[in-house]
Amino acid sequence: MLSAKSLFQEILDHDESFRLFCSIAAGGESQGGWENGRIAALVPESERALAPRIARHGADEDKHGRIFNALLNKRGLGPVVVPPEADYTMLLEQRGIGLSHDRLRADRPLTVRDVITYLAHSRVTEQRAAEQMRMLCRHFSDHPELGRAVRMISADEDNHLAYSHEELLRFAAAGHGRYVERTLRACAFAEIRVHRDVGLAVMARMGRLLGWSRVRSAVLAAGIHAVYGYERLFGWRRMVTLRMPERRDALGGPAPAAATEVA
Ligand SMILES: [Fe+2]
Ligand SMILES: [Fe+2]
């Protein structure tokens, strides 16, 4: 039977597909870590209070990158190069979503709108990350190799999502509502396309590694296109709404001690 659980189980059970999965995940997480680190360093004076939260956000993503690399190490595997067509973070940047790496490498302080752009990008991509991690948690939270890692990362992604809701609501209340809304929409529509493209690219590679039949590959590709169609028509709304989270200031305070890390 073809379910999300059986699909992931198959990917986890084979070294080469596990290697590709962890390498893609580790690459995206560390890229996010670097971006947040730069954003924290470039926060404008008026938004100084946000800097420790952005730094914490970056530290969490770096930690996730280390966790995926540690999962590879534990199996005696090294990372593989992430194929460009499966590089979610890079593809989003190429579509002009979020802050460009050139902008982040420059030593000029960001503007308030840049900070909103960062938060909108986070609101949308953390929604995706939180949903994917919840799905993994639902099926693998007791898995001997992955359980701890998926539980920890899932809790962190929920925090990142809560934080981006809260901060965007604050900017909207401070008179930036139109910009917040516009940026969120642009980000959501770009993300759902990139998510589809990356999904197709990853599944094509997995299919080759795992020797899937043409029928199986076609069914999976059709599923990815169907999700895209749904998200373009209806699903995008869940990525652009803002709701005050139950847990306020989810990224306040220092990051939990490294001793609790799974890596
Ligand atoms: Fe993450
Ligand atoms: Fe995150």
Side-chain angles (χ1 to χ4, degrees):
M1 201 188 77
L2 198 56
S3 66
K5 184 177 183 178
S6 66
L7 186 66
F8 267 100
Q9 190 67 58
E10 189 181 349
I11 290 169
L12 301 180
D13 285 347
H14 292 79
D15 280 354
E16 282 311 308
S17 47
F18 182 73
R19 198 171 173 209
L20 180 61
F21 167 73
C22 288
S23 303
I24 292 173
E29 297 281 6
S30 8
Q31 193 60 251
W34 177 81
E35 287 169 8
N36 287 332
R38 288 302 298 156
I39 295 165
L42 299 176
V43 163
E45 210 39 56
S46 62
E47 302 302 327
R48 234 29 247 172
L50 259 188
R53 290 165 180 81
I54 303 173
R56 161 80 190 277
H57 187 187
D60 282 354
E61 305 301 6
D62 277 332
K63 180 184 73 181
H64 301 166
R66 291 196 302 277
I67 290 173
F68 282 112
N69 280 317
L71 290 173
L72 279 175
N73 274 335
K74 266 201 250 171
R75 261 207 213 180
L77 300 168
V80 285
V81 177
V82 175
E85 68 275 17
D87 193 332
Y88 174 79
T89 337
M90 194 194 70
L91 290 170
L92 278 176
E93 193 208 345
Q94 280 173 3
R95 291 190 182 264
I97 295 305
L99 300 169
S100 77
H101 285 184
D102 283 347
R103 180 69 190 86
L104 295 180
R105 269 189 286 266
D107 277 320
R108 264 181 300 125
L110 300 172
T111 63
V112 168
R113 283 198 161 191
D114 288 334
V115 174
I116 296 173
T117 301
Y118 145 72
L119 286 168
H121 174 274
S122 297
R123 159 74 186 89
V124 170
T125 55
E126 296 295 345
Q127 171 93 34
R128 184 72 71 188
E131 287 173 359
Q132 289 185 329
M133 291 315 299
R134 274 179 225 148
M135 188 270 289
L136 284 178
C137 244
R138 204 161 42 243
H139 301 307
F140 299 104
S141 67
D142 296 327
H143 191 279
E145 196 180 358
L146 284 184
R148 263 191 83 192
V150 296
R151 287 197 307 271
M152 171 187 275
I153 298 175
S154 181
D156 287 347
E157 306 301 12
D158 285 344
N159 283 341
H160 301 166
L161 183 58
Y163 147 85
S164 48
H165 273 271
E166 185 176 351
E167 297 302 332
L168 281 171
L169 280 170
R170 186 172 61 80
F171 279 107
H176 297 283
R178 296 292 286 268
Y179 186 73
V180 167
E181 202 178 308
R182 212 167 62 226
T183 316
L184 276 172
R185 268 175 172 250
C187 208
F189 281 105
E191 198 278 343
I192 59 181
R193 275 187 73 162
V194 168
H195 178 69
R196 174 199 63 185
D197 295 346
V198 168
L200 291 170
V202 173
M203 285 308 154
R205 293 227 164 208
M206 292 296 181
R208 284 199 292 276
L209 290 174
L210 297 167
W212 289 344
S213 69
R214 294 210 353 220
V215 172
R216 188 164 202 220
S217 296
V219 168
L220 280 169
I224 293 170
H225 283 293
V227 168
Y228 171 72
Y230 169 80
E231 291 195 329
R232 255 197 75 85
L233 284 175
F234 309 106
W236 64 275
R237 291 181 192 279
R238 80 189 191 288
M239 306 185 119
V240 301
T241 49
L242 292 175
R243 204 171 305 118
M244 189 52 87
E246 255 167 57
R247 175 155 188 218
R248 305 285 172 90
D249 198 12
L251 295 184
T260 60
E261 207 168 291
V262 183

Short mmCIF file of all heavy atoms in Angstrom, two decimals, residues 29 60-61 64 126 129 153 157 160, ligand 1:
data_model
loop_
_atom_site.label_atom_id
_atom_site.label_comp_id
_atom_site.label_asym_id
_atom_site.label_seq_id
_atom_site.Cartn_x
_atom_site.Cartn_y
_atom_site.Cartn_z
N GLU A 29 18.54 23.03 6.40
CA GLU A 29 18.59 23.53 7.79
C GLU A 29 19.81 24.44 7.99
O GLU A 29 19.69 25.53 8.55
CB GLU A 29 18.65 22.36 8.78
CG GLU A 29 17.44 21.43 8.76
CD GLU A 29 16.24 21.98 9.50
OE1 GLU A 29 16.27 23.14 9.96
OE2 GLU A 29 15.24 21.24 9.63
N ASP A 60 18.74 27.30 16.26
CA ASP A 60 17.89 26.09 16.16
C ASP A 60 18.10 25.40 14.81
O ASP A 60 18.24 24.19 14.73
CB ASP A 60 16.40 26.44 16.29
CG ASP A 60 15.97 26.68 17.73
OD1 ASP A 60 16.77 26.47 18.66
OD2 ASP A 60 14.80 27.09 17.91
N GLU A 61 18.10 26.19 13.73
CA GLU A 61 18.24 25.59 12.39
C GLU A 61 19.62 24.95 12.23
O GLU A 61 19.75 23.86 11.67
CB GLU A 61 17.99 26.62 11.27
CG GLU A 61 16.65 27.37 11.33
CD GLU A 61 15.40 26.51 11.28
OE1 GLU A 61 15.50 25.27 11.30
OE2 GLU A 61 14.29 27.09 11.24
N HIS A 64 19.46 21.71 13.87
CA HIS A 64 18.77 20.71 13.05
C HIS A 64 19.71 20.16 11.99
O HIS A 64 19.71 18.96 11.71
CB HIS A 64 17.51 21.29 12.39
CG HIS A 64 16.52 21.83 13.37
ND1 HIS A 64 15.47 22.64 13.01
CD2 HIS A 64 16.43 21.68 14.71
CE1 HIS A 64 14.76 22.95 14.09
NE2 HIS A 64 15.33 22.39 15.13
N GLU A 126 8.12 27.95 7.62
CA GLU A 126 7.99 27.23 8.89
C GLU A 126 6.66 26.48 8.96
O GLU A 126 6.56 25.45 9.62
CB GLU A 126 8.11 28.17 10.08
CG GLU A 126 9.47 28.85 10.23
CD GLU A 126 10.63 27.89 10.52
OE1 GLU A 126 10.38 26.73 10.90
OE2 GLU A 126 11.78 28.30 10.33
N ALA A 129 7.61 23.39 7.21
CA ALA A 129 8.50 22.58 8.04
C ALA A 129 7.72 21.95 9.20
O ALA A 129 7.86 20.76 9.49
CB ALA A 129 9.64 23.45 8.58
N ILE A 153 12.94 18.31 16.66
CA ILE A 153 12.86 19.26 15.54
C ILE A 153 11.42 19.73 15.36
O ILE A 153 11.16 20.91 15.13
CB ILE A 153 13.44 18.64 14.25
CG1 ILE A 153 14.92 18.30 14.44
CG2 ILE A 153 13.26 19.59 13.07
CD1 ILE A 153 15.57 17.57 13.28
N GLU A 157 10.17 23.56 15.25
CA GLU A 157 9.51 24.19 14.09
C GLU A 157 8.17 24.79 14.51
O GLU A 157 7.78 25.85 14.00
CB GLU A 157 9.32 23.20 12.93
CG GLU A 157 10.57 22.45 12.44
CD GLU A 157 11.73 23.32 11.93
OE1 GLU A 157 11.73 24.54 12.13
OE2 GLU A 157 12.67 22.75 11.33
N HIS A 160 9.05 28.10 15.90
CA HIS A 160 9.41 29.08 14.87
C HIS A 160 8.15 29.64 14.20
O HIS A 160 8.06 30.83 13.91
CB HIS A 160 10.30 28.45 13.79
CG HIS A 160 11.58 27.88 14.34
ND1 HIS A 160 12.39 27.03 13.63
CD2 HIS A 160 12.19 28.05 15.54
CE1 HIS A 160 13.43 26.70 14.36
NE2 HIS A 160 13.33 27.29 15.54
FE FE B 1 14.58 23.51 11.07
#
